[in-house]
Amino acid sequence: MIWDCEGYRLGHEVKEEMTVKRTIRIAFARIQQESNEFSTVESTIEDFERTHYMEGNVLLEAIKPTGKEAEGFMKNAELSGFYKGIQEKNSEAQIEIVPLFSAWAVSGGPLSAETQSLFENRLMSKLKDAGPIDGVFFTMHGALRATGIPNPEERYLQKIKEVVGANTPIAVTLDLHAHLRGDLVELTDVLCAYRTNPHRDHAKVGARAAKILVDVILGKTKVAKTWRYLPMILGGGSTIDFLPTMLPVFRKLKKIEEDPRVLYVSLFMVHPFLNSPDLGWAVHVMTQNDVQLADQLADDIANLAWDVRHKMPPEFDPPDRALAKVRKNKMARKLGTICLCDTSDAVGAGGTGENTHLLAYLLTHAKDLLSYVPVRGPQVFEQLVNTKVGAQVSVTVGGYLQPDINPEVAVAGRLTYNQATKAFGQVAVVDAGHVQLVITEGAPLAFKPEFYENVGLSVWKADMVVTKGFFPPRIFFALHSRKTLNVATKGITDLDLYKTLDFDGPVHPIKALPGWRKADAERRQANPK
């Protein structure tokens, strides 16, 4: 009913009070790989296409609850979490999500300059085609390098801003082994890292970052952020989040976030296989517009991390000592298998997968035990192109990708498998009796029992299975493995390689340091406290 200013009734009108939700558009993308700068094998677009590459509606369907974001590796990762987080915020705004592309590759050598340029151009092109955008959600690793191009990930963020504008908020998810630097902090509005190692919270982190991003776009949240640099390369023991050294630290991070003023806190235990003079651990804190609280918490978390610096990684076994332990553990072999983690060729940390040292040792010294061993040997498949399964073959592996590190090893046996796969390229199995050799065209990410089971090798029957990683095999082989041994030979993922790097200041454990604040102040160009 409508009334005039003197109180006379003018007539009736049906009036509905409606809450009009704001419409916002968020673009999302991924360029994700962890680089190993001790590798001379460049990563190319083909490495991403082999592992995981999607764009447009195919990507959108893959991150929905009914899809598989990274088939063969994990069902849900950061972008699935992003989708879930957006769905949970739909009551607050009309949100349209715009898929760009998702490129994810197994850890490897630095990107080729051509691949870096391709990604930059594709990112800008897809964003321009997307139309007006209110925010960008971007997943990356934080330890990506490109040949001859400094700071490739920061360049992606700069390219995004060139298209969407400097004031359009960007949310980024990072691996906790990222190399955090000031430029990356400044270029992002929301920054969230994994809090598990081995990593298993990809989707959870994506969801949290997405929800914070929406609140920033809607003006409900104003982020106050800060970071700290720690002059340390190693420490924290094994750095596994649920083992004694780091468990109290990660529990404290979770406790800190119970304060509603705190948006997210991250601890970065840096990837040590980068040739960067400013390498080190780092802390990042976001609060609800409370700079003082952010600074206080960043200092507190930095102190927690600094306090575990003297707890070094466990000593790894050389092959002879590892083999002695395998022989001694007869019951473990009877009830399951024993995992040998080839820590000198950890594909999950950028190893090429071509390292032959452990293979050579097992061929010679473990003839009484059944071993499954993976190795990368793209050159072998030219020789096998016309060879039928069942034939006797003689192949040479090693000495191809990095011959100065991985010597040639000759293996003779019966070819029992030879097929093309999406994840690893061509795969062949040579039965050499006590060694079942799995040869792959791409990097052999032998993290799961399926790596062997899919080529006809029952993990239950093996005395030993060689895996190419530090942490994931401990989770994925838990059902089969009764003991896990870290074995070190010589390769590009040896933990002591940091000693060969040139740093721009003293770092632990190369030099004993009384504290972290002086190095942090210099790094952030702030005044020492």
Side-chain angles (χ1 to χ4, degrees):
M1 187 173 293
I2 301 177
W3 302 80
D4 70 6
C5 59
E6 295 181 0
Y8 292 100
R9 188 173 68 180
L10 299 178
H12 293 275
E13 178 179 277
V14 177
K15 183 178 181 181
E16 295 182 5
E17 290 192 7
M18 298 180 62
T19 301
V20 179
K21 293 192 293 185
R22 178 182 169 187
T23 299
I24 60 176
R25 303 181 79 241
I26 301 176
F28 65 95
R30 168 193 278 122
I31 302 174
Q32 190 168 5
Q33 188 189 35
E34 181 181 58
S35 297
N36 184 316
E37 291 193 278
F38 293 99
S39 174
T40 59
V41 183
E42 287 186 327
S43 296
T44 67
I45 186 61
E46 288 77 19
D47 293 303
F48 290 83
E49 291 171 343
R50 181 185 297 119
T51 306
H52 166 94
Y53 184 86
M54 299 178 182
E55 58 182 49
N57 287 332
V58 174
L59 172 59
L60 182 59
E61 292 301 315
I63 67 171
K64 291 180 179 180
T66 55
K68 293 181 180 179
E69 182 178 348
E71 189 169 3
F73 295 95
M74 61 183 69
K75 183 179 187 297
N76 302 119
E78 293 93 333
L79 297 183
S80 299
F82 162 75
Y83 184 88
K84 182 180 180 182
I86 293 299
Q87 297 307 302
E88 293 176 5
K89 300 295 285 187
N90 260 332
S91 62
E92 301 174 32
Q94 188 70 36
I95 307 173
E96 179 187 354
I97 57 175
V98 183
L100 303 180
F101 66 92
S102 177
W104 197 355
V106 175
S107 301
L111 291 186
S112 67
E114 180 183 16
T115 303
Q116 172 67 16
S117 177
L118 183 153
F119 279 146
E120 289 182 15
N121 293 333
R122 187 169 297 179
L123 188 58
M124 294 183 73
S125 174
K126 296 285 186 184
L127 271 173
K128 289 175 182 176
D129 291 343
I133 293 295
D134 298 290
V136 177
F137 182 95
F138 192 52
T139 288
M140 58 189 192
H141 185 281
L144 178 70
R145 296 294 187 265
T147 302
I149 302 173
N151 309 328
E153 289 169 309
E154 286 86 340
R155 287 175 63 94
Y156 297 146
L157 299 175
Q158 290 166 348
K159 297 299 182 183
I160 290 172
K161 286 188 175 293
E162 285 181 25
V163 178
V164 301
N167 296 324
T168 300
I170 300 174
V172 165
T173 61
L174 295 174
D175 191 293
L176 59 68
H177 293 113
H179 178 201
L180 191 69
R181 291 183 280 198
D183 287 347
L184 199 154
V185 174
E186 289 303 312
L187 287 165
T188 56
D189 300 275
V190 177
L191 189 154
C192 301
Y194 305 158
R195 293 251 282 277
T196 58
N197 187 40
H199 313 319
R200 54 198 186 278
D201 59 342
H202 306 69
K204 184 177 181 180
V205 174
R208 290 190 61 185
K211 288 189 279 190
I212 298 172
L213 175 61
V214 171
D215 285 344
V216 170
I217 294 171
L218 296 177
K220 295 182 177 182
T221 292
K222 184 176 181 181
V223 176
K225 60 185 179 181
T226 192
W227 72 291
R228 297 292 183 269
Y229 163 79
L230 295 169
M232 57 187 283
I233 305 301
L234 295 181
S238 67
T239 69
I240 293 176
D241 66 285
F242 51 80
L243 293 184
T245 302
M246 293 306 299
L247 178 60
V249 177
F250 283 103
R251 278 182 173 170
K252 180 63 175 178
L253 300 189
K254 187 175 181 180
K255 184 72 174 176
I256 286 171
E257 289 181 345
E258 292 178 3
D259 186 334
R261 299 173 297 170
V262 180
L263 296 172
Y264 203 96
V265 296
S266 300
L267 172 64
F268 297 94
M269 305 180 291
V270 72
H271 182 58
F273 305 112
L274 300 175
N275 188 12
S276 298
D278 57 347
L279 212 58
W281 285 31
V283 172
H284 186 272
V285 175
M286 297 188 300
T287 64
Q288 286 270 19
N289 197 30
D290 193 329
V291 176
Q292 184 176 355
L293 178 61
D295 277 325
Q296 174 194 324
L297 293 176
D299 287 345
D300 291 345
I301 297 169
N303 285 330
L304 287 173
W306 188 249
D307 286 345
V308 300
R309 70 190 183 281
H310 293 304
K311 189 70 173 178
M312 298 300 286
E315 183 182 358
F316 297 158
D317 292 317
D320 58 342
R321 192 163 69 205
L323 190 55
K325 291 180 179 180
V326 171
R327 287 199 171 98
K328 182 179 179 180
N329 282 274
K330 294 181 180 179
M331 188 58 67
R333 290 186 279 119
K334 184 176 181 180
L335 297 177
T337 191
I338 295 177
C339 276
L340 301 185
C341 296
D342 187 354
T343 61
S344 294
D345 192 24
V347 170
T352 61
E354 191 198 37
N355 195 309
T356 51
H357 294 287
L358 186 53
L359 167 64
Y361 190 87
L362 295 176
L363 282 169
T364 303
H365 299 283
K367 294 182 179 180
D368 57 323
L369 299 168
L370 178 60
S371 306
Y372 297 169
V373 184
V375 69
R376 186 178 183 181
Q379 75 280 14
V380 170
F381 295 99
E382 294 181 11
Q383 176 185 342
L384 297 180
V385 66
N386 294 318
T387 305
K388 294 183 178 180
V389 169
Q392 292 293 318
V393 297
S394 295
V395 299
T396 299
V397 294
Y400 182 74
L401 297 174
Q402 283 193 277
D404 56 323
I405 296 175
N406 307 318
E408 290 186 347
V409 173
V411 180
R414 186 170 63 93
L415 183 67
T416 62
Y417 184 95
N418 188 10
Q419 291 187 23
T421 68
K422 183 179 186 302
F424 309 111
Q426 198 72 18
V427 177
V429 178
V430 175
D431 177 358
H434 64 291
V435 169
Q436 299 292 310
L437 181 63
V438 182
I439 308 169
T440 60
E441 183 181 10
L445 196 67
F447 280 5
K448 298 181 179 181
E450 289 83 357
F451 177 86
Y452 291 111
E453 300 281 352
N454 289 344
V455 296
L457 298 175
S458 171
V459 172
W460 294 108
K461 294 180 180 180
D463 293 300
M464 298 175 283
V465 295
V466 175
T467 66
K468 296 284 189 177
F470 289 110
F471 307 118
R474 294 178 179 273
I475 292 178
F476 296 123
F477 276 88
L479 176 64
H480 302 78
S481 179
R482 299 297 171 261
K483 191 172 184 64
T484 300
L485 301 172
N486 289 321
V487 186
T489 54
K490 180 183 179 182
I492 63 171
T493 57
D494 288 332
L495 287 180
D496 61 357
L497 285 174
Y498 69 89
K499 297 176 182 178
T500 67
L501 299 176
D502 292 324
F503 296 98
D504 60 5
V507 295
H508 170 85
I510 294 176
K511 183 177 177 60
L513 298 171
W516 56 268
R517 292 182 184 273
K518 182 176 183 294
D520 167 68
E522 292 171 351
R523 182 74 65 222
R524 296 189 299 118
Q525 297 181 340
N527 294 321
K529 293 184 179 181

